[in-house]
Amino acid sequence: MTAPAAIEVIGATRRFGRRNAVEDVSFTVPENSVTGLLGRNGAGKTTIMSLVSGQDRPTSGEVRVFGEQPFENGRILSSMSFVRDNQRYPEDYYLRHVLDVAPRFHERWDAELAARLVDGFRLPAKPVVKKYSRGQLSALGIVLGLASRAPITIFDEPYLGLDATARAMFYDALLQDYAEHPRAVLLSTHLIDEMESLLERVVIVDKGRLIREDSTEDLAGAAFTISGIAAAVTGFVDGRRVLREHRVGGLLSLTVEGALSPAEKAEARDAGLDLAPARLQELVAAYGADLANENEGARA
Amino acid sequence: MSAVARIPSPVDVVRMHVVKRRAVFVTPLLIVAAVFVVTTIISLALQRLGTPMEDAAAADGARNNPAVAWALSGFVVSLGVMAVSTAFPFSLALGTTRRSFTVGTLLSNAVIAAYFTAIFVALLGLELLTGHWFAGIHLVDVYALGAGDVRYLVPIVFLGTLALMSIGSVFGAAWIRFAAPGAATLGVALGVGLALALLLAAPVLPDIAAAFRVWWLAVAAVAVIALASAGTLLFLRGASVR
């Protein structure tokens, strides 16, 4: 049985001047799931999160959260936490001010978890928050998002500036808290390899358009990489959709959409070609490169 | 997990603004203290130059000192600007509606204006009780603040502070909505509007001056507060945080 939708984006377009930051995007985030919003810089991830969190309105199309449109909807907005990667804090705010105020806005705020995270991330009581380093700001955003226990928790590249230890701490805290208090988590990331195990679903966007929406399980079989002597590789994939190409001398490595039958796999091995399922990171990079190539082709 | 039951109210937004007690409540006291020191130095210097401060004419001259009002007005406007420009994005991150944020900011401005009023009433009491700080010094007992009459002081400080903060807030909202050009355009538009109004009203200004009543200022302040708050909501409703 499919989980009910926490977030539905239906044909949403957001235009800034003449530029479409997001164009006719549709996807669903089920309740109690961790969904990754993936794509290159400028793909439209933050704009999509702004639309979902009611911090912005679509120029056309629709966004629904728990079945209602979020913009100026107090009931829905109070069920959300969305801390931007470049989140601004009130002037003269210290850490204690943030921790004092946040519980008033989040009904399910967990002060104990917040204190544990602040301690773990070693967030200083001084200086003022606006003088925090990049990593400290990210850590504060993680504290706000996780401790809020908001039914819709959105993280915008939450790892920026964090060292490896702090990132691992975030992943552990997210997993543990999500297991104890399931909710809809939507997070954007470029560290796909690191976070892949956290994600149940992914939404891939590029240049404001939806490229693919699927469960990570289904995506795992959505493409494969094949490498070997260039002529043999090219001959083998003839007729298939190549997402990405990487050439070193006479060797060629391709990321190819689709799956291979056992017979095709055997044929590839016989031809001396190496096969491997495409990792999510490769797939996202490939979709980005693929779309860029298509656009260049269209311009030519 | 379903939607939460409790929706944050404007009172929570007030808390968000006034939680930084030092910036909101201590800084104005420091400004008043600085003005008091400067006023005292100037007054003592005048006395040493031979100006008799117990003299009625000298006291009248000292009442023309609006230093404390001017010194605080800049701070008050900046509080109003920051209450919107830096707090609005954080407020949205916490899940507040724009309407709730605007109402909460207006309430917060009113709380701060009431605090300022209480400070000034207390200072006036002390000033009158000590015979103008034992040295003929006029800090609060000045014409700009009602010339020592608490019935004038309270509405002047409360409405004046609230009006200045509201003006600051609408500029902060214009900045959020249209960035620097928005705030600059609003400033120019207000300046041109006031100049045009003055130009149009010039022929009847003597009549207006003759009919002038002090309560007009209170009505004007309330109108400014209402218009600025409506403008703030209007700008913020169309603003997207980027």
Side-chain angles (χ1 to χ4, degrees), chain B residues 33-215:
Chain B
V35 174
F36 180 72
V37 168
V38 173
T39 304
T40 302
I41 291 169
I42 292 170
S43 181
L44 293 177
L46 286 172
Q47 288 176 47
R48 284 179 67 81
L49 286 169
T51 309
M53 295 311 285
E54 64 281 0
D55 190 290
D60 190 56
R63 279 202 176 91
N64 281 313
N65 167 29
V68 75
W70 282 115
L72 277 173
S73 57
F75 170 73
V76 166
V77 172
S78 75
L79 267 185
V81 173
M82 284 188 298
V84 172
S85 62
T86 63
F88 177 67
F90 182 58
S91 176
L92 287 194
L94 294 174
T96 318
T97 62
R98 290 146 205 262
R99 187 178 53 251
S100 194
F101 174 79
T102 308
V103 174
T105 301
L106 178 62
L107 283 177
S108 160
N109 290 349
V111 167
I112 295 167
Y115 170 69
F116 275 43
T117 308
I119 292 174
F120 275 82
V121 168
L123 283 173
L124 180 64
L126 277 174
E127 190 165 314
L128 296 179
L129 211 63
T130 57
H132 297 94
W133 312 103
F134 308 108
I137 297 162
H138 287 251
L139 182 74
V140 182
D141 176 8
V142 293
Y143 290 124
L145 297 175
D149 189 335
V150 76
R151 291 170 304 169
Y152 288 108
L153 178 75
V154 168
I156 287 172
V157 176
F158 182 78
L159 291 175
T161 304
L162 191 51
L164 287 174
M165 290 191 83
S166 302
I167 290 169
S169 293
V170 77
F171 272 89
W175 185 82
I176 287 272
R177 176 73 178 87
F178 298 109
T185 306
L186 179 64
V188 170
L190 282 178
V192 170
L194 282 174
L196 277 176
L198 203 62
L199 196 67
L200 291 171
V204 289
L205 276 181
D207 298 335
I208 292 173
F212 179 77
R213 296 287 177 274
V214 178
W215 60 263

Side-chain angles (χ1 to χ4, degrees), chain A residues 93 97 101, chain B residues 11-22 24-25 107-109 111-112:
Chain A
Y93 251 44
H97 296 136
V101 163
Chain B
V11 175
D12 297 312
V13 176
V14 173
R15 174 75 182 178
M16 186 185 74
H17 285 303
V18 301
V19 71
K20 41 180 192 172
R21 294 184 191 88
R22 189 186 300 170
V24 173
F25 297 116
L107 283 177
S108 160
N109 290 349
V111 167
I112 295 167

Side-chain angles (χ1 to χ4, degrees), chain A residues 87-162:
Chain A
Q87 180 63 49
R88 298 191 71 192
Y89 292 86
E91 198 77 7
D92 303 316
Y93 251 44
Y94 287 87
L95 175 64
R96 68 175 187 279
H97 296 136
V98 176
L99 298 179
D100 184 323
V101 163
R104 299 186 73 96
F105 292 84
H106 294 301
E107 188 181 69
R108 296 168 186 164
W109 178 264
D110 185 334
E112 200 181 305
L113 174 63
R116 221 167 42 237
L117 290 169
V118 163
D119 196 38
F121 285 122
R122 298 179 183 172
L123 279 175
K126 287 181 178 176
V128 287
V129 170
K130 74 173 181 182
K131 289 191 177 169
Y132 268 14
S133 68
R134 177 61 266 177
Q136 288 169 333
L137 284 171
S138 293
L140 182 55
I142 290 169
V143 173
L144 281 171
L146 285 181
S148 75
R149 296 260 163 82
I152 308 279
T153 306
I154 304 173
F155 293 105
D156 186 9
E157 299 189 38
Y159 50 79
L160 291 178
L162 290 181

